[in-house]
Amino acid sequence: MLNERVRLLRKERGLSLRQLAEATGLSAALLSQVERGTTDPSLSTVRKLAVVLGADLPTLFAEDAPSGAHVSRPGQRPLLSAGHGSMAYERLTPGRTDLEVLKGRLEPGQATSEEPWGHPSTECSVVLLGTVVAEVGGVRHELRVGESITFDSRLPHRYLNASGEPAEYLMSCTPPNP
């Protein structure tokens, strides 16, 4: 759905792929792949597109309202990447503007971002496997299986795995802000 929204917004604004590439600092080839749905863009790429296209992130990821129930199956979920070589979230909820639930997996030593950052939302995460460190507002919280943390995500934050074993967690945001 992201690819269709990007194409639609680009055309509504009368931009060619080259013009969008110049405005975002991204390559026209990458933008073509995004619009055709042949690549999963990083969150950094999506943020650049949102700024230039004048759309908020939830709008770019929004899908038509599901009729009834939405079923999310492993291996068929969209991935939201934090960037090349970074971890990727599995999106468990359909693209909506009220709630986002993501499943993250962190390999040993991996983090969700190089530096903590904030966004207007409320966030709650629960650890499913291993140990996850949640850095929130400069404070480190070590969370084990079954433990959760909820916070105002305007505070700079990130998740990291300081252990030698993989870690998995579910993260919910309301409203969504990938």
Side-chain angles (χ1 to χ4, degrees):
M1 304 322 140
L2 171 69
N3 62 317
E4 294 168 4
R5 292 219 186 269
V6 168
R7 183 182 314 112
L8 177 68
L9 289 170
R10 177 180 61 79
K11 289 182 177 185
E12 282 179 358
R13 283 148 182 78
L15 296 171
S16 69
L17 274 175
R18 283 193 199 282
Q19 290 169 321
L20 183 58
E22 288 174 17
T24 58
L26 302 167
S27 74
L30 172 63
L31 295 176
S32 175
Q33 291 174 347
V34 169
E35 285 193 2
R36 287 182 285 130
T38 60
T39 189
D40 288 321
S42 70
L43 288 176
S44 172
T45 296
V46 175
R47 286 186 188 110
K48 290 176 184 177
L49 288 167
V51 168
V52 172
L53 295 172
D56 59 11
L57 292 173
T59 297
L60 286 180
F61 285 98
E63 298 172 6
D64 295 332
S67 58
H70 172 80
V71 176
S72 171
R73 292 191 167 84
Q76 298 176 359
R77 298 176 181 141
L79 297 178
L80 300 177
S81 170
H84 180 69
S86 298
M87 60 92 59
Y89 285 106
E90 285 183 67
R91 186 182 209 187
L92 304 179
T93 49
R96 299 168 39 145
T97 58
D98 60 343
L99 173 69
E100 182 86 72
V101 180
L102 306 170
K103 181 179 178 186
R105 179 177 173 89
L106 292 167
E107 297 300 328
Q110 194 173 35
T112 55
S113 61
E114 288 186 33
E115 297 294 326
W117 65 283
H119 52 90
S121 211
T122 298
E123 196 163 311
C124 177
S125 292
V126 60
V127 177
L128 303 174
L129 175 72
T131 303
V132 173
V133 175
E135 287 183 358
V136 181
V139 178
R140 292 171 61 106
H141 305 273
E142 186 173 300
L143 305 170
R144 291 177 170 62
V145 173
E147 295 179 336
S148 65
I149 186 168
T150 303
F151 56 93
D152 180 336
S153 52
R154 290 176 293 189
L155 294 168
H157 62 281
R158 70 178 183 156
Y159 299 95
L160 59 110
N161 181 352
S163 77
E165 300 294 325
E168 292 184 356
Y169 61 100
L170 285 181
M171 191 253 312
S172 298
C173 277
T174 182
N177 194 349

